[in-house]
Amino acid sequence: MRRLLSIASAVFVLTLAGCGEVAPPEPYGATPSPQQVEWQKMEMNMFAHFGPNTFTGLEWGLGTEAEDIFNPTALDCDQWASIAKAAGFKGIIITGKHHDGFCLWPNPVSVHTVAQSPWKDGKGDVLKELSEACAKEGLKFGVYVSPWDRNDPHYGTPEYNDVYVKTLESVHDGRYGEVFEQWFDGANGEGPNGKRQVYDWPRFHETVLKLQPRAIMFSDTGPGCRWVGNESGIAGRTNWSPLNTKGFTPGAGAPPIDTLNSGNVHGAVWHPAETDVSIRPGWFWRESENDKVKSLKKLLSIYYTSVGRNSLLLLNVPPDNRGLIHSADSARLMEFKAALDEIFKVNLADGAKVSATDCRGKGFKARNILDGDFDSYWATSDGVNKATVTFDLAGEKTFNRVLIQEYIPLGQRVKAFTVEAMGEDGQWKEIARETTIGYKRIVPVSKTTAQKVRINLEAYASPVINGFGLYDDNISEYSE
Ligand code: FUL
């Protein structure tokens, strides 16, 4: 009897092993916080530059503008939010305070705010209206509060850091609900007295984190996400989310531009790139640029070089001096959304038979790649860092875009990959050779008709892939 029992338990153990009940791979290198993962999934947010410059036509206000210059005639944040929502943005970040120092909310430590303006008899609050409009549309709300201030008389003295901390507190103390992103630019020009400020960055960060622990902080060095290094909408073709920030500060002490653009392989902290770019030539609205809104093709190309290169896209759509998004911008945004919907409507890899040269075991099968579930992925056994995944498309498919996603909660692991396609002749032909993947990589390839497609991956630790797509883009004409 005892013998029988031990045989039975041995069979049981063997059965378990046979099913391949294995643990998930260990995370590799720097990894994102759960908030950073959620943030990355937003993919596209809207930036709204608005303030005195909207009325003066300047890009950088002087700080000496009279408060009564701020007087939008028809401000309607519901209009901004409904356009943003319809365009596919997941959140809006507004310039609560730009370099001119004017605050779009009644900041208690400033006398250069909406409260001193004629708009709504000084009783208005743009942050309140926008945060409520965002909540109604299910959008997240974020704020840009420029540390550089050309108005505040304390700027350039230690007192200004106190003023700025109180300013941050009045935005983040909950009166505008949850703030998903705090945008810090590194600008550090002269204040009204000709002095520059020595910013107390650790204190600024602590202030935001204390009040909004889930907020992602943007700057050249994070700590939540990093500037991509240019304002033209282009993330690096190689783009690591990890970054080394030790010894660097936002602004003049920032990491080199090419580092911001590509991140650091094996970087110590997870600071994914955010690509901020304006739909117009300037950041602020001006009448003379109503006919200079970026073309649909340009916006699509920006989409590929930002979202398609493991970056978040923050597209600036500046409201005009009425306080409305101009029809030239909203019409273009609707074309942009319609084009993206059309391009990504059909994943030609859906229904493909997926196989891989290695599989970690049950729960990590190659077919997980196509199940549409972010948290279900294919992974190899530990130590197997090179592998190939083949998609048998069940018939011929024609495409010119290849989309691949890594499961970033386990870090960014793939360092190089190629894509090959097999046509009627039964020969594999290389159609792409690239480096990083990250959260999402969309590789433009020349128009390819194939029965099978395979990706050959080389990673620092067993690759973890949770998404793959083949698309036929007949709109953008984008190529690399
Ligand atoms: C920069 C600013 O100097 C520009 O005016 C603009 O706001 C851009 C998004 O950030 O740091």
Side-chain angles (χ1 to χ4, degrees):
M1 185 60 188
R2 189 175 293 163
R3 210 165 145 221
L4 262 183
L5 270 181
S6 63
I7 288 172
S9 54
V11 167
F12 179 68
V13 169
L14 276 176
T15 312
L16 262 188
C19 283
E21 284 286 0
V22 280
E26 286 294 317
Y28 178 80
T31 52
S33 67
Q35 290 93 287
Q36 285 174 312
V37 175
E38 289 315 304
W39 175 89
Q40 191 91 48
K41 286 182 188 171
M42 295 173 84
E43 299 194 358
M44 294 206 308
N45 290 323
M46 192 174 102
F47 217 178
H49 275 66
F50 188 58
N53 298 343
T54 312
F55 301 87
T56 60
L58 294 179
E59 273 297 313
W60 283 2
L62 305 172
T64 49
E65 293 82 7
E67 290 83 26
D68 61 12
I69 211 167
F70 184 83
N71 199 10
T73 48
L75 185 125
D76 181 3
C77 291
D78 287 339
Q79 188 244 16
W80 311 4
S82 66
I83 290 170
K85 173 83 181 208
F89 296 111
K90 299 290 188 281
I92 302 180
I93 300 178
I94 183 167
T95 51
K97 174 170 90 108
H98 203 248
H99 309 328
D100 54 61
F102 185 82
C103 300
L104 295 183
W105 79 103
N107 179 3
V109 291
S110 170
V111 287
H112 191 51
T113 79
V114 280
Q116 286 76 37
S117 82
W119 177 62
K120 297 201 164 172
D121 293 327
K123 303 213 165 41
D125 182 341
V126 185
L127 299 196
K128 183 164 191 292
E129 294 194 19
L130 183 60
S131 56
E132 288 174 1
C134 283
K136 268 190 253 165
E137 292 287 359
L139 296 171
K140 294 191 179 181
F141 169 74
V143 189
Y144 172 0
V145 184
S146 167
W148 182 24
D149 194 313
R150 302 178 97 178
N151 175 271
D152 195 288
H154 305 96
Y155 192 87
T157 71
E159 286 77 60
Y160 176 76
N161 286 337
D162 299 333
V163 171
Y164 187 65
V165 162
K166 291 199 175 102
T167 297
L168 288 173
E169 283 170 350
S170 78
V171 170
H172 290 285
D173 67 2
R175 75 185 74 179
Y176 305 119
E178 184 166 307
V179 179
F180 86 98
E181 184 167 333
Q182 161 64 41
W183 221 84
F184 288 115
D185 71 292
N188 188 197
E190 292 175 356
N193 49 18
K195 292 192 202 145
R196 278 178 210 280
Q197 182 69 27
V198 180
Y199 295 135
D200 190 346
W201 286 112
R203 205 174 147 210
F204 302 164
H205 296 160
E206 267 166 40
T207 305
V208 175
L209 274 191
K210 191 179 68 205
L211 297 168
Q212 298 276 348
R214 293 173 47 81
I216 299 294
M217 284 185 264
F218 167 99
S219 84
D220 297 331
T221 53
C225 65
R226 72 171 197 267
W227 185 44
V228 76
N230 61 65
E231 293 177 341
S232 41
I234 304 178
R237 198 157 160 173
T238 293
N239 185 11
W240 294 99
S241 291
L243 187 74
N244 291 320
T245 53
K246 211 162 170 226
F248 295 113
T249 61
I257 291 293
D258 58 339
T259 301
L260 290 171
N261 200 237
S262 297
N264 291 122
V265 59
H266 304 131
V269 285
W270 187 270
H271 282 4
E274 177 171 85
T275 302
D276 60 313
V277 55
S278 185
I279 196 166
R280 287 167 171 248
W283 287 104
F284 286 87
W285 174 87
R286 52 178 74 83
E287 181 92 56
S288 60
E289 292 180 356
N290 283 344
D291 59 354
K292 296 195 174 57
V293 172
K294 287 191 169 61
S295 67
L296 171 63
K297 290 210 159 70
K298 182 72 196 163
L299 290 181
L300 289 171
S301 139
I302 286 173
Y303 177 84
Y304 284 116
T305 55
S306 55
V307 178
R309 289 185 177 177
N310 185 35
S311 168
L312 199 114
L313 170 60
L314 180 60
L315 183 65
N316 179 58
V317 185
D320 65 16
N321 58 356
R322 296 168 301 167
L324 295 172
I325 292 176
H326 192 272
S327 56
D329 308 75
S330 58
R332 187 56 38 78
L333 286 177
M334 294 312 112
E335 288 173 37
F336 180 43
K337 176 65 163 59
L340 289 175
D341 285 350
E342 175 63 23
I343 295 167
F344 295 102
K345 188 167 66 187
V346 181
N347 180 358
L348 296 159
D350 270 350
K353 231 173 85 210
V354 199
S355 56
T357 48
D358 186 86
C359 173
R360 192 171 186 82
K362 197 180 167 203
F364 304 98
K365 294 272 156 65
R367 63 167 179 265
N368 292 359
I369 296 175
L370 288 181
D371 68 5
D373 178 352
F374 180 82
D375 291 305
S376 121
Y377 53 88
W378 158 78
T380 60
S381 318
D382 288 343
V384 179
N385 298 348
K386 275 187 178 182
T388 294
V389 186
T390 304
F391 301 84
D392 185 337
L393 303 176
E396 285 200 326
K397 301 283 157 65
T398 300
F399 57 88
N400 59 4
R401 305 284 180 252
V402 179
L403 180 152
I404 312 177
Q405 294 190 276
E406 254 182 287
Y407 185 62
I408 56 167
L410 296 177
Q412 196 177 339
R413 310 156 75 101
V414 174
K415 59 176 165 182
F417 67 97
T418 61
V419 183
E420 294 175 295
M422 182 192 278
E424 262 185 338
D425 61 2
Q427 302 292 311
W428 285 110
K429 185 173 157 247
E430 186 176 292
I431 56 171
R433 176 172 284 267
E434 297 289 333
T435 52
T436 53
I437 297 178
Y439 165 74
K440 184 178 271 191
R441 184 72 201 271
I442 308 172
V443 188
V445 296
S446 46
K447 205 60 129 176
T448 301
T449 299
Q451 295 169 348
K452 288 184 185 175
V453 173
R454 68 184 182 190
I455 46 175
N456 306 302
L457 303 154
E458 205 181 325
Y460 285 111
S462 60
V464 287
I465 302 294
N466 66 342
F468 179 80
L470 298 171
Y471 300 93
D472 195 18
D473 172 359
N474 292 303
I475 304 174
S476 79
E477 292 164 19
Y478 174 71
S479 60
E480 265 166 1

